[in-house]
Amino acid sequence: MQNRRKTLTRLGALTAAGLGVAALALGATSAYADDNAPNDIEPKIIGGQPAEDGQFPYIVALADAGDPSFNFCGGQLVAEDVVLTAAHCTEGSAAADIVIRHGSTDITQTDIYDVTDIYVAEGFDGSTMVNDWSLIKLAEPISGAETVPLAESDTKDWGTLTVAGWGTTESGSSSEDLLYVDVPYITDTDCSGAYGSEFNADSMICAGDLENGGVDSCQGDSGGPLVSADGVLVGIVSWGYGCAEAGNPGVYANVGLLYDDITTKLADF
Ligand code: ARG
């Protein structure tokens, strides 16, 4: 199997790696290009379709405060002034580095909100992606905005899940329109079969078409929502080998298993 690389790169990771301003200046295309070299034939939200207005009312994008046209991750409102996202999207960034975009499926039409505080999950490990969740506090609440309810436990029987984002598509670049795709839940046993010990069943959950590939989240979707058919947040886009490859499903932070940690922090954030 070629190119079995864990694709985790995004703006924050580059920044955290010390590339700093240079990485910021490279913009979206280059950030993706790192992961999608020409010889990486990766179908990319992959296999998706445009979201309807109001289908994911809680979804947000994280963007570079210095260039808000560069959105590098997704997220979701869990309170009118708090975004839940992936830790690998925020680690190494200061509140002043990030702005939040919300309010339209068309990323260019979203409103921009300042950030005052970032919390990176205790125990987050950027090399293993264990505990890949983070909270972001907005300077002011988006009053009346809808929030997403969190899964309170992992039923291990989720059926068809749905993931959404403005990340990389089949074309190799990110999408101006919010896209979504249905991805079957994958059992811990099957995900361990795919990723071995890199799949951490205490904090991760997998989804995708294990046999055929073709449907998945991808670079730039990180931090965004994996929701159940009844609209509960089951996962947070975290990592995968390539995108939408058969045998290499998407891996998500497992909200049901992290529920106590998330809500405890949320209560005094
Ligand atoms: N780490 C990527 C990001 O930062 C998300 C990768 C998801 N990959 C996947 N095959 N589902 O945007």
Side-chain angles (χ1 to χ4, degrees), residues 57-58 60 75-80 82-83 102 138 142 145-148:
Y58 46 77
V60 306
Q76 38 276 320
L77 291 165
V78 291
E80 286 184 350
V82 182
V83 166
H102 173 265
L138 303 185
I142 307 176
E146 277 188 51
T147 59
V148 66

Side-chain angles (χ1 to χ4, degrees), residues 7-10 72-73 88-89 216-222 237-244 248-252:
T7 53
L8 299 163
T9 310
R10 39 87 245 168
F72 56 88
C73 271
H88 81 264
C89 290
D216 200 1
S217 44
C218 198
Q219 293 5 290
D221 292 321
S222 275
V237 180
S238 182
W239 64 274
Y241 283 138
C243 301
N248 291 332
V251 187
Y252 298 79

Side-chain angles (χ1 to χ4, degrees), residues 184-205:
Y185 165 69
I186 293 175
T187 64
D188 291 352
T189 307
D190 283 351
C191 203
S192 296
Y195 286 127
S197 59
E198 287 189 71
F199 170 69
N200 173 260
D202 293 332
S203 76
M204 300 174 188
I205 186 170

